[in-house]
Amino acid sequence: MKLKHLTFLFLALCLFFSCKKNETSKATIKQDLLIDLTKLSNEIGQFQKLVNANSSQKEILEQFKKSRLFYKKVEWAIEYFVPETARFMNGPALDEMELEENRSFEPHGFQVMEEMIYPEYEIENKENLIRELNIFQANIKQLQSTFEVIAISDDYVLDAIQQNVFRVTTLGITGFDSPILQSSILEAGESLIVIPASLEKINFNNKSLAELKKLASKAQKYCQENNNFNAFNRAIFITEYLNPISKKIKAFQKEENIKNVKKSSPLKPTIEILFDKEAFDVNAFVLSEEYNFTKEKAVLGEKLFYDKSLSKNNDRSCATCHHPEKAFTDGLKTNVSLTGINLPRNTPTLTYASLQNAQFWDMRQLDLEKQSVDVIQNKDEMHGSMQNIHAKILVDNDYVKLFKKAYPKTLKPEAWQIQNAIASYVRFLNSFDSRFDEYMRGNKNVLNNQEIEGMNLFMGKAKCATCHFTPLFNGTVPPSYSKTEHEVIGTPNEASGKTLSPDKGRYLYNKMPQLVGAFKTPTVRNVAVTAPYMHNGVFKTLEEVVSFYNKGGGQGLGYEVENQTLPFDKLNLTIKEEQDLVAFMKTLTDKKYQ
């Protein structure tokens, strides 16, 4: 009996001190965040004093940079725990739109201030700058109030830190959050150095922590010694610093036996690096659990995809306009109607279409199920009837067997399953096996010097990756990948560039002035085999596309595109750089299309 009591007492004491240690750990992380937010507030306060005192642009600019560096110390927590506030602290200087309610919100934060003070600070911007700084201070107070009351457990800390590494990879070093000043490189180093400092609060003696400290320190040093934005070697930085840091965080998690956070996310919690072959979960983009992908559904969907009886006249299938050998495009300038008339838009690739939250160029449908119905019932495309198709399937024994395998819980095929099966086939079309993918996973010999230079340009000077986000290379915004963006780039109506395309894009469905000429940002994966390009197929070659962007898009060509989201300044790419960029984009071709 005494032994029992002693054992119980020992276990109780262990549990007590274990809980105390864990509570202290969490409290320390929280305390550090609150201290850093106070420091950030002080830096913004100093910024306010300089503006109020009409200080020189140099002084104001240096304080701006210093403030941003302080923000990077806490960004990992702000973006993860309070993303709605983060958007108005360091989000793009573009209106935030809520299309469901047909309203928009003006942007705030560092990027808005950046435009006010760089390249020149005009005194007439003083009042607006002070207003922005006051809003920023109010946001800091809101963050402090939030962090004082929320619980911050070890699993959420790990998840937030891993997300931050992915943020640096996809947004930080591409200039996404410092598009004009291009101060991103030093800031990337600051974002990484806080990782071991946060993890040591969980367990100071963890064996992976020492290696993580060395990696983070070397990464910061690399950023400090190579802080020229255009010259920065992102290929080296990702493969030799960011990927190893990501792996060490995962090792730390396993050693500490910290569970994965349960959440609906396109990024699987088991991945070691962002470029793992199975990194993305297509089920994160489905309507509900019963719509989840299975191989049986994809087999059924493939049969439906090639079945011409889905069209009114039994003469056209999905594959008529989406050819497998062309990465499921048709090679035409624009699609052709049932009557042979050219339609206004180009046929987009279906590869990687499942990893976005909007379908069609104008983003009028949010998921692949609705996309398939839209096409099948469109009088110009297939002119079919879902009701008639369902009736045919119910009396087709081959189909009934396939439906039973794909949907074993239902007695007979249901109408929604037709859409879901076709969508499941499209969800099967993501390979992630291009030469770029191999390189990112460690095969350093698979890309040549020109292609690596092109990668650095894509993610740097050419600013491609600020819209075509790595590694999906579409407009689905990392690291949460929960929202797909549109862009207004001012596409010409003809290759000569004499007039602007009259297609109003997303504006046709959401009557907001910001959306005139807005189109979904498509993936650049498999772009070498999906010509011609743009929503209207205006460019036949990648060289023409790169030239258009190099000139600054529609505004650069002289069009009146007041709402252009693409920077309209020239990129000043040399002919060699344009060639390198094209060479890199060709490395994004999946093996089956090479």
Side-chain angles (χ1 to χ4, degrees):
M1 187 64 83
K2 274 187 177 182
L3 183 60
K4 256 187 174 180
H5 281 304
L6 286 170
T7 304
F8 177 78
L9 181 61
F10 174 75
L11 289 172
L13 286 169
C14 287
L15 183 61
F16 175 78
F17 285 113
S18 173
C19 289
K20 280 291 181 184
K21 177 186 173 185
N22 203 30
E23 285 171 13
T24 304
S25 162
K26 295 169 194 172
T28 303
I29 289 173
K30 184 184 290 190
Q31 286 168 0
D32 282 355
L33 285 171
L34 291 170
I35 290 168
D36 285 336
L37 283 171
T38 299
K39 290 179 179 178
L40 175 60
S41 179
N42 291 339
E43 293 301 326
I44 295 296
Q46 183 60 29
F47 193 174
Q48 289 171 310
K49 287 179 183 178
L50 291 173
V51 175
N52 281 318
N54 295 325
S55 300
S56 68
Q57 187 208 18
K58 183 180 179 181
E59 290 176 293
I60 288 172
L61 193 58
E62 286 305 309
Q63 185 57 39
F64 173 80
K65 291 179 182 178
K66 193 176 177 184
S67 299
R68 277 183 61 94
L69 283 173
F70 266 88
Y71 178 79
K72 290 296 172 178
K73 292 177 183 290
V74 290
E75 184 179 39
W76 68 272
I78 298 172
E79 286 281 355
Y80 188 84
F81 293 105
V82 204
E84 63 278 4
T85 302
R87 172 63 179 83
F88 293 103
M89 295 183 81
N90 195 34
L94 298 169
D95 289 347
E96 178 75 2
M97 285 178 278
E98 289 186 0
L99 299 183
E100 298 81 7
E101 299 180 20
N102 206 46
R103 61 177 182 170
S104 62
F105 302 91
E106 63 176 314
H108 298 291
F110 280 126
Q111 293 194 46
V112 173
M113 290 187 270
E114 186 175 307
E115 291 186 352
M116 293 180 183
I117 64 174
Y118 189 82
E120 294 293 333
Y121 172 54
E122 305 291 343
I123 196 67
E124 50 263 35
N125 285 333
K126 178 179 176 179
E127 187 178 333
N128 287 332
L129 185 53
I130 290 172
R131 175 173 169 265
E132 284 299 324
L133 288 165
N134 289 336
I135 292 171
F136 202 96
Q137 287 284 34
N139 282 327
I140 292 175
K141 287 180 180 178
Q142 183 181 333
L143 290 172
Q144 289 170 325
S145 299
T146 301
F147 283 122
E148 280 173 357
V149 297
I150 65 170
I152 302 179
S153 56
D154 293 344
D155 52 339
Y156 281 95
V157 170
L158 255 294
D159 198 40
I161 285 173
Q162 185 71 282
Q163 290 277 305
N164 199 48
V165 176
F166 298 154
R167 180 177 293 103
V168 172
T169 306
T170 56
L171 304 179
I173 58 175
T174 64
F176 177 82
D177 59 358
S178 182
I180 306 172
L181 188 57
Q182 298 184 341
S183 59
S184 309
I185 306 306
L186 285 174
E187 293 168 6
E190 202 66 38
S191 294
L192 297 173
I193 204 68
V194 301
I195 293 172
S198 298
L199 294 184
E200 68 182 7
K201 307 298 191 314
I202 295 173
N203 186 352
F204 185 84
N205 295 315
N206 179 280
K207 63 181 182 180
S208 289
L209 190 59
E211 294 176 61
L212 196 50
K213 282 182 180 179
K214 289 179 183 177
L215 276 171
S217 180
K218 287 180 180 178
Q220 186 183 42
K221 185 179 179 184
Y222 186 84
C223 291
Q224 290 169 343
E225 293 177 350
N226 304 273
N227 60 37
N228 182 292
F229 181 83
N230 287 343
F232 188 71
N233 194 321
R234 290 154 180 88
I236 286 177
F237 192 63
I238 293 172
T239 57
E240 296 186 15
Y241 295 98
L242 293 176
N243 285 349
I245 285 173
S246 183
K247 288 180 180 179
K248 279 298 169 189
I249 292 171
K250 204 66 184 175
F252 179 98
Q253 180 183 5
K254 289 177 181 177
E255 289 161 15
E256 294 300 315
N257 198 26
I258 297 172
K259 63 183 179 181
N260 290 317
V261 173
K262 289 185 178 180
K263 60 180 181 177
S264 177
S265 171
L267 282 178
K268 295 179 181 177
T270 53
I271 65 173
E272 288 192 322
I273 63 172
L274 187 60
F275 305 94
D276 283 348
K277 186 173 174 60
E278 302 295 331
F280 289 89
D281 182 5
V282 292
N283 290 331
F285 294 91
V286 302
L287 299 169
S288 56
E289 194 173 330
E290 63 266 30
Y291 286 81
N292 279 357
F293 172 86
T294 66
K295 288 183 179 179
E296 291 76 16
K297 288 181 181 180
V299 170
L300 168 60
E302 183 175 14
K303 181 176 173 63
L304 290 164
F305 190 86
Y306 290 92
D307 191 342
K308 292 184 178 180
S309 69
L310 270 64
S311 64
K312 183 179 181 180
N313 297 324
N314 301 318
D315 60 355
R316 179 176 279 205
S317 70
C318 302
T320 302
C321 300
H322 294 282
H323 306 168
E325 71 278 7
K326 293 177 181 175
F328 294 87
T329 59
D330 58 13
L332 302 175
K333 185 176 186 290
T334 59
N335 201 346
V336 178
S337 73
L338 286 169
T339 57
I341 298 171
N342 286 330
L343 296 172
R345 293 180 185 162
N346 176 261
T347 301
T349 179
L350 294 183
T351 59
Y352 304 95
S354 59
L355 297 171
Q356 56 192 18
N357 282 307
Q359 304 299 328
F360 296 107
W361 282 104
D362 52 34
M363 307 175 77
R364 65 182 180 270
Q365 299 292 3
L366 297 180
D367 56 71
L368 287 168
E369 278 77 9
K370 292 187 182 70
Q371 184 264 350
S372 63
V373 175
D374 194 311
V375 173
I376 289 170
Q377 297 188 158
N378 188 302
K379 64 181 180 63
D380 292 320
E381 297 186 63
M382 293 179 72
H383 207 184
S385 161
M386 293 304 296
Q387 187 176 354
N388 292 342
I389 293 167
H390 186 216
K392 288 179 184 178
I393 284 171
L394 288 172
V395 295
D396 186 312
N397 288 333
D398 290 337
Y399 265 128
V400 169
K401 288 177 183 177
L402 287 173
F403 269 91
K404 189 62 182 173
K405 287 181 180 179
Y407 304 94
K409 293 182 180 180
T410 55
L411 295 175
K412 59 182 181 178
E414 297 179 9
W416 69 269
Q417 295 169 347
I418 300 169
Q419 306 165 44
N420 181 229
I422 295 172
S424 296
Y425 176 59
V426 176
R427 292 183 179 114
F428 182 67
L429 304 178
N430 311 327
S431 300
F432 290 104
D433 61 0
S434 67
R435 288 192 295 121
F436 164 81
D437 295 305
E438 285 188 57
Y439 181 86
M440 285 302 185
R441 292 171 196 147
N443 185 354
K444 292 295 184 70
N445 299 317
V446 75
L447 299 186
N448 61 38
N449 289 336
Q450 183 187 28
E451 291 162 342
I452 292 170
E453 283 300 311
M455 182 197 306
N456 287 323
L457 286 163
F458 190 97
M459 298 179 184
K461 181 181 177 180
K463 301 181 181 179
C464 310
T466 60
C467 296
H468 298 275
F469 303 110
T470 313
L472 298 180
F473 294 95
N474 64 13
T476 308
V477 186
S480 66
Y481 295 96
S482 59
K483 177 184 177 183
T484 300
E485 288 193 339
H486 61 260
E487 298 291 342
V488 179
I489 62 174
T491 306
N493 197 40
E494 61 284 311
S496 62
K498 291 180 180 178
T499 57
L500 180 69
S501 168
D503 193 333
K504 293 188 177 181
R506 200 169 186 182
Y507 178 80
L508 297 172
Y509 296 89
N510 301 94
K511 306 291 185 181
M512 300 174 70
Q514 300 97 322
L515 297 177
V516 175
F519 295 94
K520 181 185 68 181
T521 303
T523 185
V524 184
R525 282 182 173 271
N526 295 318
V527 73
V529 293
T530 58
Y533 308 104
M534 305 301 187
H535 70 272
N536 55 359
V538 67
F539 297 131
K540 294 180 180 178
T541 68
L542 286 172
E543 286 78 8
E544 288 178 307
V545 174
V546 171
S547 176
F548 167 74
Y549 282 108
N550 195 20
K551 292 170 183 172
Q555 282 196 28
L557 293 175
Y559 305 147
E560 290 186 14
V561 193
E562 292 181 5
N563 62 326
Q564 180 169 310
T565 56
L566 177 77
F568 52 83
D569 295 330
K570 291 182 179 179
L571 295 172
N572 295 316
L573 298 174
T574 65
I575 292 174
K576 179 185 180 303
E577 287 174 332
E578 289 189 16
Q579 293 170 345
D580 293 349
L581 204 50
V582 171
F584 166 66
M585 287 190 279
K586 290 179 179 179
T587 72
L588 297 172
T589 306
D590 289 331
K591 281 185 179 178
K592 68 180 79 172
Y593 309 120
Q594 291 175 12

